[in-house]
Amino acid sequence: MEVLTTKEMKELDRYTCKKKGISSLELMEIAGEKIYKCILKEKEIDPVTDKIVIISGTGNNGGDSLVVARHFLEENYKNLEIILVGNLDHLTEETKINLKKLKERNARIYYFKNYDFYKDYEKLIKKANIIIEGIFGIGLNREVKGIYYQAINGINRSEAYTISIDIPSGIRGDNGLIAGIAVKADLSIIIHTYKVGNLLNDAKDSHGKCKIVDIGILEDVFIPKQFLLQEKDIKNLLKKRRHNTHKYDYGSVLTIGGSIGMMGAPFMSAYAALRSGSGLSSIAVYEKYLDLIYPIYPEIMIRPYRKKEEFLEILQKKEAIAFGPGLGRKSDFPFYILEHLLKVDLPIVIDADGLYYFKELLNKVKKENKIVITPHYGEMAMLLDTTSENIKRDPVSAAKEFSEKYSIIVLLKGTTTLIAQQDKIYFHSLGNPGMATAGSGDVLTGIVLSLLGQRLKPIDACKVGVSIHSLAGNLAAKEMGQYSMIATDIIKYIPKTLKELVK
């Protein structure tokens, strides 16, 4: 499923109208009817006893909500009231026409033009069972203030079941950030397909359940480059095992990491790799840290090194490498290790402290390298010499530009994880807040490492890896709860996740 920017969505709206020979008013009519039908399918509403309040803005999102209001009136829903928020001089032509149609049907319409109306506004929405809001839509590009802030705050204080059209008002359409305040919807009815703002940053905390309505948007001249990953996209990438195989058929993988106070990180990576199907999984650790290692998992092989020659010997017969979990930043030797790894024909996952060393060696990256980096926003900011806030404002561009510049795959971890393969972006929106725990990233690194060792293409290893990680995390949260789950709980549920994915 493609993911659009707000600009792309507006262009497709215009193209559809031109190609079909219809006006934007007619397209709004189609959208309003489809939204109305979706509402009735998702929420049982009594035409007599339930009180519906529709809160509209002055733009075309508001126009959509007014069409919805008209359909409720035409179907004899008795308790319907409409509140129009904002300056009537700013009404779009389409919204103005739909407002006129409602007046002709003697709809009960109220106007929230200034602060004096707020007490009346509160009384109106306090009695509502259902609130349907179309205040801003995807085009919001400013902070929410004044009567708009009051309107959204009133919605959030209400106990009514709240439905947002296309995107909860107050969420920015191109990055999912809250513009001061945002509606907390129970249901968001998204037109045509997901936009970037429906997926990133604060979006999940505002959208509630999401449903998509098809209004006949044409895409025959559009080449999508942003996609939402779904379970069906990754199922065929994992194959059943043949009987006539041995452990080396499933990859011998190596995690390079560990230092004082951080020996757990490489163990979680190496163990997650085993649980994800690797035939052999080893940890390479600098010899002076050997006494800090406890054999938590007897299946994992420990390979100490002290000299360059000893390290090179460890690389023999390895199918894939993870560099960085728990590595620390107190030694120069990792520079040599990574510099050598960038010269060999092995897929590499670089994570955590490994990204610190990677930044200094970016000029050594060759176009044919099979490199995956797995930064969070702070690490992405470090690589780009910017701030986490800047990455948060436009994570898509950050991941895409870095991937294009160095011909590597960027797996940017966040509320919704982004996988950038040069100019293509894949969004992965599963997972839960309980996965924001120490070691969760090391587990993801180990899963991707394992899949690379099993000879999946790097892009496929990332798609499948984030899916396994998130699905296992969701199973862990279901049993442990989001507050109490830890990274090793995610590993615990990798087997069950794989059992469901490989049938």
Side-chain angles (χ1 to χ4, degrees), residues 458-490:
I459 187 62
D460 291 339
C462 290
K463 291 178 185 178
V464 178
V466 295
S467 298
I468 293 171
H469 187 245
S470 295
L471 292 170
N474 287 345
L475 289 173
K478 189 175 180 181
E479 181 175 324
M480 318 287 186
Q482 293 180 6
Y483 273 86
S484 295
M485 62 181 284
I486 57 176
T488 49
D489 295 329
I490 301 173

Side-chain angles (χ1 to χ4, degrees), residues 23-39:
S23 66
S24 57
L25 182 65
E26 289 171 298
L27 187 63
M28 183 180 286
E29 190 68 36
I30 294 167
E33 182 182 4
K34 292 292 182 74
I35 293 164
Y36 166 74
K37 289 179 178 178
C38 183
I39 290 170

Side-chain angles (χ1 to χ4, degrees), residues 102-370:
L102 285 169
K103 289 178 180 177
E104 290 168 355
R105 286 168 172 76
N106 296 315
R108 294 194 294 276
I109 304 171
Y110 303 86
Y111 300 96
F112 193 169
K113 301 176 187 177
N114 54 53
Y115 294 109
D116 296 339
F117 182 73
Y118 186 67
K119 286 186 178 179
D120 293 324
Y121 174 78
E122 276 196 318
K123 290 176 184 176
L124 287 167
I125 61 176
K126 188 176 183 180
K127 298 176 183 177
N129 303 103
I130 310 291
I131 291 175
I132 302 165
E133 70 88 12
I135 301 174
F136 289 123
I138 62 174
L140 179 66
N141 57 11
R142 64 184 189 277
E143 285 291 292
V144 178
K145 297 178 180 178
I147 59 171
Y148 295 104
Y149 189 101
Q150 287 188 315
I152 291 174
N153 188 46
I155 293 170
N156 289 342
R157 289 170 62 183
S158 165
E159 295 181 2
Y161 184 89
T162 301
I163 301 166
S164 291
I165 294 175
D166 213 16
I167 194 169
S169 290
I171 295 289
R172 296 180 185 272
D174 267 337
N175 61 23
L177 288 170
I178 292 177
I181 191 172
V183 170
K184 291 185 178 179
D186 296 291
L187 171 67
S188 295
I189 299 176
I190 296 167
I191 297 171
H192 180 59
T193 192
Y194 285 97
K195 272 65 75 177
V196 173
N198 293 125
L199 297 168
L200 295 178
N201 292 312
D202 301 311
K204 283 185 182 180
D205 292 317
S206 291
H207 276 68
K209 182 179 181 181
C210 293
K211 298 297 291 185
I212 293 175
V213 293
D214 179 5
I215 66 169
I217 296 294
L218 299 176
E219 292 192 357
D220 47 298
V221 295
F222 177 68
I223 302 173
K225 291 189 175 181
Q226 299 185 160
F227 307 90
L228 178 65
L229 285 177
Q230 298 171 292
E231 196 171 305
K232 64 181 181 180
D233 298 321
I234 60 109
K235 272 197 169 182
N236 292 332
L237 297 173
L238 291 171
K239 306 297 182 185
K240 286 186 177 180
R241 291 192 166 189
R242 295 181 294 109
H243 287 281
N244 188 21
T245 54
H246 53 77
K247 60 190 175 186
Y248 284 101
D249 288 320
Y250 303 109
S252 175
V253 299
L254 178 69
T255 299
I256 302 167
S259 59
I260 295 174
M262 295 189 288
M263 287 309 305
F267 269 105
M268 283 187 282
S269 174
Y271 190 53
L274 277 180
R275 283 298 189 191
S276 301
S278 292
L280 299 96
S281 183
S282 306
I283 295 172
V285 61
Y286 198 53
E287 191 176 67
K288 72 175 182 178
Y289 300 132
L290 197 56
D291 291 342
L292 302 176
I293 293 178
Y294 300 95
I296 307 170
Y297 308 112
E299 301 90 345
I300 295 172
M301 292 174 283
I302 311 299
R303 302 295 304 274
Y305 61 88
R306 184 178 53 185
K307 301 176 182 178
K308 296 176 182 178
E309 295 77 16
E310 293 171 335
F311 174 76
L312 295 178
E313 186 180 330
I314 295 171
L315 294 181
Q316 299 301 311
K317 295 185 178 181
K318 297 299 182 288
E319 294 285 348
I321 309 292
F323 178 81
L327 192 61
R329 302 183 183 185
K330 296 180 179 179
S331 170
D332 290 335
F333 196 45
F335 282 113
Y336 164 77
I337 293 174
L338 185 56
E339 188 172 16
H340 179 78
L341 292 175
L342 295 176
K343 295 175 184 176
V344 300
D345 187 27
L346 282 174
I348 312 166
V349 189
I350 305 174
D351 183 32
D353 288 327
L355 296 168
Y356 163 78
Y357 296 99
F358 183 58
K359 182 181 180 182
E360 301 303 317
L361 295 170
L362 286 172
N363 62 330
K364 305 282 186 180
V365 176
K366 297 184 291 185
K367 296 294 182 183
E368 64 271 20
N369 274 117
K370 302 168 187 174

Side-chain angles (χ1 to χ4, degrees), residues 17 132 176 380 390:
C17 290
I132 302 165
M380 194 78 243
N390 284 337

